Amino acid sequence: MKDYRTHLEPNNYYHIFNHAVGNENLFVEDKNYAFFLDKFEKYIVEFIDVFAYCLMPNHFHFLIRVKDIELNNCQATLKVPDSLDKSLATLKVPDSLDKSLATL
């Protein structure tokens, strides 16, 4: 299986986006937007600066810059709610900030 993760480098800018499958929506109710932004802030914002974002019913966009932070070769562990797939519960973060936003 092909690995689609992207290595995000510190101090670089990225346009991060995702689209729902087919005609489905990512955000069905107003509270879905709030839930997504809450989780984004809780798990991701520590590692990036957000310059702009747009959430639409079937897709989203973020313009970000990866922060230049020192993690001292440690592992950053994301606490994922039990309702999500346990395989997404841990994200190993090396010095190069090898991250995939696909775990959102």
Side-chain angles (χ1 to χ4, degrees), residues 47 71-78 89-95 99:
F47 304 103
L71 295 177
N72 298 322
N73 293 322
C74 69
Q75 265 190 10
T77 301
L78 300 181
T90 301
L91 177 63
K92 295 179 182 177
V93 185
D95 288 339
K99 289 193 188 342

Side-chain angles (χ1 to χ4, degrees), residues 1-95:
M1 178 192 257
K2 185 172 179 178
D3 185 358
Y4 290 98
R5 291 180 294 176
T6 300
H7 299 271
L8 303 179
E9 297 295 327
N11 296 314
N12 285 336
Y13 294 85
Y14 296 93
H15 172 212
I16 306 293
F17 59 94
N18 197 3
H19 194 285
V21 175
N23 292 324
E24 297 296 320
N25 283 333
L26 296 170
F27 309 106
V28 179
E29 301 177 30
D30 288 344
K31 66 182 179 181
N32 299 142
Y33 295 98
F35 178 84
F36 178 85
L37 289 174
D38 178 60
K39 299 306 176 197
F40 186 82
E41 183 174 353
K42 184 174 182 178
Y43 297 114
I44 304 296
V45 169
E46 175 183 353
F47 304 103
I48 64 171
D49 294 313
V50 178
F51 293 94
Y53 71 90
C54 183
L55 305 179
M56 290 162 278
N58 64 349
H59 68 288
F60 61 79
H61 298 265
F62 284 88
L63 178 59
I64 66 157
R65 179 180 61 207
V66 177
K67 293 179 181 178
D68 189 10
I69 58 175
E70 179 61 44
L71 295 177
N72 298 322
N73 293 322
C74 69
Q75 265 190 10
T77 301
L78 300 181
K79 295 177 183 173
V80 178
D82 290 335
S83 61
L84 295 179
D85 183 354
K86 293 296 183 184
S87 67
L88 301 178
T90 301
L91 177 63
K92 295 179 182 177
V93 185
D95 288 339

